Amino acid sequence: MADAEVERRMKVMRGDTWTISTRRRTYRRIESKAGSSRSHKESYIQKERSYLQFIKIETKNPPTSIPCSSSLTRRFFDRPLDSKCFNVGALDQLFIRDGTLDKLLWNDNWSVDGTVSFFRYPSYKKLPSRWSPLGSFFVTSNYGVVSIWGSRYYTDFGRLMRFSHYQVEEFDISPGEKYLVTYNRPDLTDPNGLWLKIFDVSTGTGIVGLNNGDVADSPQWPVIRWAGGKDDTYFATLSKNNTVSVYETKNFNLLGKAPLNLDDVIDISWSPTEAVLAILLKAGGEQHVKTLLLQIPDKLKLAEKDLTAIVGDCKMHWQSNGEYFAVNTYGGFEFFRIKEEGIPTDFLKVDKRILAFAWEPSGHRFAVIYGDEPTLSVSFYSMKTPGKVTELTTLSNKQADSLFWSPKGNLVVVAALKEGKLEFFDVDRLAQISSVANVKANQVVWNPSGEYVATVSTLPQEEFDSDWCSDPNDPLDRFTIWSSGGDCLFVHQCQNRIMQVTLIGALNYGGIIDDDMLKTQ
């Protein structure tokens, strides 16, 4: 053994240096078999790279407060509704972070000021709180604990499970709500400490983690990027050295025992509905990129396209059903028709600066804001006709910087947040419904039913001071509820600056928490 290698190993034994856990394998590129059902199929396997290696952990966090009612979902609010509830079929909930308190409010009577919170929880300003992806439960974090909350009735809303992670900084829930990921910044002075944990949500049990000795190029949050759909079967990581690794959750091992054999990866993005991974790569030169679509777990190449684009401005956009995929290019957009045979592509030329792009949820239309300020254009297009991107209409000489589609897809709010203007636009009729001015907001949030929308001016977490003394008439300390037609329904003045806001409504329940799970605790 070489003297240099002996010295390196002695340093590791003495603790003078740190090592990154790696595995090295050499594979050849495997071509797809002839006669396959999809054309251009290839498998990409990494020749030699380092990657994250998960270790098993044994932690159990029993529930601390089981509500009297069982099923953990917001859908089963049994309180009768009246006309004041906008006929949404159940009590929608609004989450706001009012200073140092997380509050959940319901829309029992938006028309009367002074709505009562049915849930209050002290928040730590640097840590997030949010709904789970399917809306089954509410998640908070505070120092070393992440908690999930919920109930059947608003009167017994309580904590159902606690997950411990020392100095937790971030958390994430998988799309199907099966797994909770917690994260804190790696600390190399504690090689045995865990900087990332993955828990089973239904049991509270820790499954795997990453210790500080296995930092693997210090990946940044979000570390775990989940594949689309509710199966929670696969996830990917993208390291700082542009290595893409795909893992499967049945054993949390690297798929194919090696990272993907791809160099100069810029970014990755999963389809929202299936295990199709879009990868953006440098293709030589500052304005040449390549888009690659891979089917997981086979690592089969579904489509590949060379594009001319400015690397820093190149972004990927999936339609919510995974039917269409778009990439910003130099001078326009490249569109992929994912569900059509051969995945054909279309190019839309936009020869002006692009400010915003947004797909219609579950639909075939999209909107683009482009041009030079202060007068901009907003155009609406359709992908319904095969092989053609059809322009529906263009709104000229507009003040606009953001697009907010209704979850139903037929309405969109064209917002000029800097100027305080909102325009409610009906895309089915291609006509303006109403226009609102003097709105103090930097966020516009639809509720899932598409019946109404909230506007609020939020303050970044790091800028909030707990000693903040709010002016009771300050418009920046209030949120407003609007109808889908632009009518003002409700204004609520908060005691402190608002730092987060989310509207969530009576969705069809699709979560994993049920009576049987709670009985086993």
Side-chain angles (χ1 to χ4, degrees), residues 43-232:
S43 244
Y44 287 87
I45 299 182
Q46 177 67 26
K47 293 180 179 179
E48 185 174 287
R49 285 286 173 87
S50 63
Y51 59 90
L52 296 170
Q53 184 173 358
F54 292 91
I55 60 174
K56 291 184 178 181
I57 58 177
E58 295 288 341
T59 60
K60 174 71 174 179
N61 295 281
T64 57
S65 176
I66 299 179
C68 298
S69 61
S70 54
S71 187
L72 176 56
T73 167
R74 299 166 301 95
R75 185 165 75 89
F76 298 104
F77 282 98
D78 295 339
R79 184 176 177 128
L81 300 180
D82 55 29
S83 59
K84 297 176 181 178
C85 295
F86 315 119
N87 299 315
V88 295
L91 294 177
D92 292 275
Q93 297 174 26
L94 172 70
F95 159 59
I96 62 170
R97 176 165 290 185
D98 182 357
T100 59
L101 285 177
D102 284 349
K103 297 181 180 180
L104 296 181
L105 305 93
W106 69 92
N107 73 335
D108 183 39
N109 195 346
W110 288 125
S111 62
V112 178
D113 200 356
T115 298
V116 179
S117 304
F118 71 86
F119 171 64
R120 292 173 180 241
Y121 185 75
S123 65
Y124 182 53
K125 67 178 183 179
K126 295 182 180 180
L127 301 180
S129 298
R130 65 177 70 98
W131 294 104
S132 59
L134 300 177
S136 305
F137 45 84
F138 187 68
V139 192
T140 65
S141 55
N142 198 345
Y143 301 101
V145 174
V146 175
S147 302
I148 61 174
W149 307 75
S151 72
R152 176 173 295 173
Y153 304 98
Y154 61 87
T155 54
D156 61 4
F157 196 87
R159 178 155 51 191
L160 301 172
M161 200 81 72
R162 298 179 60 180
F163 305 86
S164 299
H165 191 166
Y166 179 65
Q167 292 186 344
V168 61
E169 297 180 10
E170 290 283 357
F171 68 84
D172 186 30
I173 305 288
S174 60
E177 300 182 345
K178 295 179 182 178
Y179 303 104
L180 166 71
V181 182
T182 58
Y183 164 88
N184 66 7
R185 207 176 307 273
D187 180 8
L188 293 182
T189 64
D190 180 16
N192 296 320
L194 296 175
W195 61 275
L196 185 138
K197 295 181 182 180
I198 300 180
F199 296 87
D200 183 326
V201 170
S202 63
T203 64
T205 304
I207 307 173
V208 294
L210 294 169
N211 61 36
N212 291 320
D214 185 10
V215 180
D217 200 30
S218 299
Q220 301 299 306
W221 184 262
V223 180
I224 305 297
R225 307 208 190 177
W226 293 98
K230 300 180 183 179
D231 294 337
D232 294 342

Side-chain angles (χ1 to χ4, degrees), residues 176-469:
E177 300 182 345
K178 295 179 182 178
Y179 303 104
L180 166 71
V181 182
T182 58
Y183 164 88
N184 66 7
R185 207 176 307 273
D187 180 8
L188 293 182
T189 64
D190 180 16
N192 296 320
L194 296 175
W195 61 275
L196 185 138
K197 295 181 182 180
I198 300 180
F199 296 87
D200 183 326
V201 170
S202 63
T203 64
T205 304
I207 307 173
V208 294
L210 294 169
N211 61 36
N212 291 320
D214 185 10
V215 180
D217 200 30
S218 299
Q220 301 299 306
W221 184 262
V223 180
I224 305 297
R225 307 208 190 177
W226 293 98
K230 300 180 183 179
D231 294 337
D232 294 342
T233 305
Y234 304 103
F235 63 86
T237 63
L238 177 62
S239 66
K240 289 175 64 176
N241 67 354
N242 303 325
T243 299
V244 180
S245 302
V246 180
Y247 298 81
E248 49 188 339
T249 55
K250 68 178 182 180
N251 51 24
F252 288 90
N253 288 337
L254 192 63
L255 187 66
K257 300 181 180 181
L260 300 181
N261 185 22
L262 298 170
D263 296 321
D264 297 322
V265 176
I266 301 171
D267 200 5
I268 60 175
S269 180
W270 289 97
S271 163
T273 56
E274 58 183 329
V276 173
L277 182 62
I279 305 174
L280 200 62
L281 309 97
K282 293 181 182 178
E286 294 184 357
Q287 295 186 357
H288 294 279
V289 299
K290 177 185 291 187
T291 300
L292 185 67
L293 295 176
L294 292 183
Q295 178 75 57
I296 301 300
D298 301 324
K299 302 180 184 176
L300 302 177
K301 183 176 69 174
L302 305 180
E304 186 175 14
K305 185 79 173 183
D306 290 320
L307 307 172
T308 300
I310 300 175
V311 173
D313 295 335
C314 198
K315 298 179 181 179
M316 297 180 283
H317 310 272
W318 281 98
Q319 182 249 21
S320 61
N321 284 354
E323 298 176 0
Y324 307 107
F325 174 69
V327 184
N328 286 59
T329 67
Y330 187 77
F333 295 89
E334 194 74 34
F335 293 92
F336 295 76
R337 297 176 180 267
I338 304 299
K339 302 302 181 180
E340 296 183 22
E341 185 177 358
I343 309 185
T345 61
D346 299 299
F347 180 74
L348 175 64
K349 183 179 180 180
V350 181
D351 56 4
K352 295 185 179 180
R353 186 170 69 96
I354 299 170
L355 277 75
F357 173 95
W359 284 107
E360 174 187 26
S362 304
H364 56 85
R365 296 174 291 197
F366 63 91
V368 184
I369 301 176
Y370 59 93
D372 298 318
E373 297 179 300
T375 57
L376 304 166
S377 297
V378 182
S379 293
F380 295 87
Y381 298 87
S382 171
M383 298 284 291
K384 191 173 184 179
T385 304
K388 182 180 180 181
V389 180
T390 305
E391 182 179 347
L392 301 177
T393 190
T394 294
L395 311 178
S396 302
N397 299 321
K398 290 290 182 180
Q399 290 183 316
D401 51 39
S402 304
L403 297 162
F404 302 94
W405 283 91
S406 163
K408 288 185 176 180
N410 58 321
L411 305 177
V412 64
V413 174
V414 180
L417 297 177
K418 296 179 182 178
E419 289 77 21
K421 295 182 179 180
L422 303 178
E423 181 176 332
F424 291 77
F425 190 80
D426 188 327
V427 187
D428 289 341
R429 296 189 296 113
L430 298 178
Q432 182 189 93
I433 302 174
S434 64
S435 182
V436 181
N438 301 318
V439 178
K440 301 294 184 181
N442 58 13
Q443 287 195 41
V444 178
V445 185
W446 285 90
N447 87 315
S449 70
E451 297 289 333
Y452 53 92
V453 64
T455 59
V456 65
S457 179
T458 59
L459 183 73
Q461 302 275 352
E462 60 273 10
E463 294 183 16
F464 177 74
D465 185 349
S466 58
D467 294 329
W468 182 283
C469 183

